[in-house]
Amino acid sequence: MNSAFSLRFRRFGLSRFSPAQLIALTFGAAILGGTLLLWLPLSHEPGQTVSLLQALFMATSAVCVTGLGVVDVGTTFSPFGEAVMLLLVQFGGLGLITVGTMTALLLRRRVGVRSRLNAAQQVNASRLGEAPALVRTVVLSALAIELAGALLLAPDFIAREGLQRGLYYALFHSVSAFNNAGFSLYPTGLTGLVGNLAINIFIPLLIILGGMGFLVQVNVLAWLRDRRNQLSTNTRISLTMTFFLLLTAPVLFGLMEWNNPATLGGLPLRDKLLAAWFQGVTPRTAGFNTLDYAQMTFAGLFYSMLLMLIGGNSGSTAGGIKTNTVFVMVVSAWSLIRGRKDAVVFDRRLGTDIILRAMSVGLLSLVMLALGILLLLLLNSHGEGELSFIQLVFEAVSAFATVGLSMNATALLNPAQELVIIALMFLGRIGPLTLAVAFAQRELPPPVRYPQTSEVLIG
């Protein structure tokens, strides 16, 4: 990092912030900037107005790559406003510090230790020296995948929207899908395209690639180039969970909704299979839907919420508590049930710190989500505008897991409830553990380490 950049870094007082704190602050700054831009009349279509709270909601949803909206993107925002939304989604998906570090690399600035720490925190790099090269790979590969996705989607959108508008729609939906945002330019989302082959193939493919995790992609590519490069334990866990969910989720969802006349029941066999596949993929933080979730059975809604909470892989554009976290929690619990002292996966023993982090993330996530649901219920309007319990729970889970699916309830929230959803989206994107570390007071090592006890009953 050159002296001028270092001086500016210290002048703004950023050097005293930890990487976790900088992540939270930069995401907050992006939301604030996006709010102001989306509030400008320039961002609105003629005759449309967006309040400051609505702009804040949409900016938060975009930066946190959630997809929930209190206004319709395609009919409310002008091309400038839609471009702002797309840029916020891109920044939110890749991470502001990752993009900032990439900019510094393109300007041929030397990346210092603190900048490497920030980049490593964003992309989960295990060694500081890997961060600059990894960030370059992450950004360039993400842009390449989004461009490829747009080209694959283009023929379908061009046939429906014309050449110029079709190319724009293809790019918008490709970026939204890869970053697991779920924003669509159609007022009803993708519900009118339930039987469209291109939408049901390429959109889920982009969602899966975005939710795979950047380190996993790099590791798999290195392994494919040279089999002497071994797949890491993290990669094996991520791939195992991804393939397991991709195989089971569409099947289970299809069984739950197969005879529901409002969803799968009223479709021909081909469209049923496509819709079951699409809805099996998208709850893991994507937000797109080809079926109306307000018409689903309670079983289908509950299973969708479970998929939302699981989310995608760590170090990806996806949200949720992450597949890796769930895997570690399940394996640790299973080892305990079987009376084994160590939790072993792929011939590797899970460290105590990893298990504690996984349990902490799971517990903090559930606590935050429970508090959010409670606040939504307390603030629920009574009478004609009252939302049902399942609507509010579904909305809260979707917001915290940064999914963006809704039972058509987002636009019906009152202003106080909108603020709760905004907080849930931010907390869900930053991550409960990152937030706890970011704002925790630093404590000195205790002068005395007390004796261990086994006299606490559990269960």
Side-chain angles (χ1 to χ4, degrees):
M1 188 159 50
N2 60 40
S3 58
F5 187 73
S6 178
L7 181 61
R8 287 196 296 271
F9 196 84
R10 290 194 299 269
R11 182 180 301 166
F12 287 106
L14 297 179
S15 59
R16 60 191 175 89
F17 293 111
S18 69
Q21 290 172 327
L22 278 177
I23 291 172
L25 290 173
T26 48
F27 269 80
I31 291 171
L32 178 60
T35 299
L36 296 177
L37 288 174
L38 293 177
W39 194 34
L40 294 174
L42 177 64
S43 296
H44 312 153
E45 288 283 6
Q48 297 288 338
T49 58
V50 175
S51 68
L52 183 60
L53 180 58
Q54 289 175 326
L56 174 62
F57 191 103
M58 297 303 293
T60 305
S61 186
V63 173
C64 298
V65 289
T66 304
L68 290 174
V70 289
V71 298
D72 176 57
V73 175
T75 58
T76 302
F77 292 117
S78 65
F80 175 79
E82 291 173 1
V84 170
M85 289 287 294
L86 202 62
L87 287 175
L88 292 176
V89 166
Q90 187 72 84
F91 271 68
L94 295 180
L96 294 178
I97 298 174
T98 300
V99 176
T101 304
M102 182 62 184
T103 303
L105 289 171
L106 291 176
L107 295 175
R108 299 189 183 280
R109 291 173 173 166
R110 187 168 66 87
V111 181
V113 173
R114 178 161 290 277
S115 294
R116 293 189 181 199
L117 274 170
N118 297 334
Q121 185 80 5
Q122 279 286 296
V123 297
N124 292 335
S126 57
R127 293 189 294 273
L128 291 184
E130 296 176 351
L134 184 57
V135 166
R136 185 187 294 111
T137 302
V138 164
V139 175
L140 293 179
S141 62
L143 295 177
I145 292 172
E146 289 170 352
L147 180 59
L151 293 175
L152 291 171
L153 288 169
D156 182 76
F157 281 106
I158 289 173
R160 192 165 41 252
E161 304 292 340
L163 179 60
Q164 185 176 355
R165 190 177 175 89
L167 288 173
Y168 170 63
Y169 269 51
L171 178 62
F172 188 98
H173 286 83
S174 177
V175 173
S176 182
F178 178 76
N179 289 284
N180 281 219
F183 285 110
S184 175
L185 295 176
Y186 292 115
T188 57
L190 302 179
T191 53
L193 304 172
V194 64
N196 186 291
L197 196 60
I199 293 297
N200 281 278
I201 291 177
F202 298 129
I203 292 292
L205 181 61
L206 287 165
I207 292 169
I208 293 167
L209 289 174
M212 185 65 71
F214 299 121
L215 283 180
V216 173
Q217 294 175 19
V218 171
N219 191 198
V220 170
L221 289 175
W223 178 75
L224 291 175
R225 286 194 299 265
D226 186 353
R227 296 302 171 89
R228 289 175 296 181
N229 296 317
Q230 295 184 354
L231 294 177
S232 69
T233 304
N234 177 72
T235 298
R236 294 183 180 189
I237 292 174
S238 300
L239 293 177
T240 299
M241 287 294 291
T242 297
F243 288 129
F244 172 77
L245 291 170
L246 288 178
L247 288 173
T248 58
V251 174
L252 292 175
F253 181 86
L255 291 175
M256 294 174 186
E257 294 291 327
W258 194 261
N259 295 318
N260 183 357
T263 55
L264 294 182
L267 300 174
L269 179 61
R270 174 183 174 274
D271 292 356
K272 276 187 177 184
L273 296 176
L274 289 175
W277 155 253
F278 196 96
Q279 265 62 225
V281 173
T282 195
R284 293 179 54 228
T285 81
F288 286 114
N289 59 295
T290 58
L291 297 177
D292 186 359
Y293 274 79
Q295 303 298 322
M296 287 186 184
T297 63
F298 286 147
L301 291 171
F302 181 73
Y303 184 62
S304 296
M305 285 190 280
L306 288 179
L307 293 176
M308 290 185 201
L309 285 175
I310 294 172
N313 297 336
S314 299
S316 71
T317 60
I321 63 175
K322 303 297 190 299
T323 56
N324 314 59
T325 304
V326 174
F327 186 92
V328 171
M329 292 171 65
V330 171
V331 168
S332 302
W334 181 243
S335 298
L336 181 64
I337 291 172
R338 298 179 67 185
R340 294 186 175 181
K341 184 177 181 181
D342 297 324
V344 179
V345 293
F346 303 111
D347 298 325
R348 293 291 185 272
R349 177 171 55 86
L350 293 176
T352 304
D353 59 331
I354 293 177
I355 296 173
L356 289 177
R357 281 204 301 270
M359 297 298 180
S360 298
V361 167
L363 179 60
L364 285 172
S365 297
L366 292 178
V367 169
M368 291 180 184
L369 181 58
L371 289 175
I373 293 172
L374 179 60
L375 285 174
L376 289 175
L377 293 171
L378 289 173
L379 297 170
N380 203 19
S381 302
H382 294 288
E384 190 174 334
E386 185 176 9
L387 295 172
S388 67
F389 176 79
I390 187 65
Q391 282 179 308
L392 291 176
V393 172
F394 194 89
E395 201 79 10
V397 174
S398 180
F400 184 77
T402 68
V403 178
L405 294 174
S406 176
M407 296 176 64
N408 304 327
T410 311
L412 303 177
L413 297 170
N414 60 47
Q417 289 175 320
E418 288 180 18
L419 290 173
V420 174
I421 295 295
I422 288 171
L424 284 173
M425 288 190 291
F426 183 77
L427 291 172
R429 181 58 180 146
I430 298 301
L433 188 62
T434 300
L435 196 67
V437 172
F439 297 104
Q441 295 292 328
R442 294 182 178 179
E443 295 183 2
L444 295 175
V448 177
R449 191 179 187 194
Y450 295 97
Q452 180 175 300
T453 181
S454 301
E455 299 176 354
V456 179
L457 298 179
I458 300 296

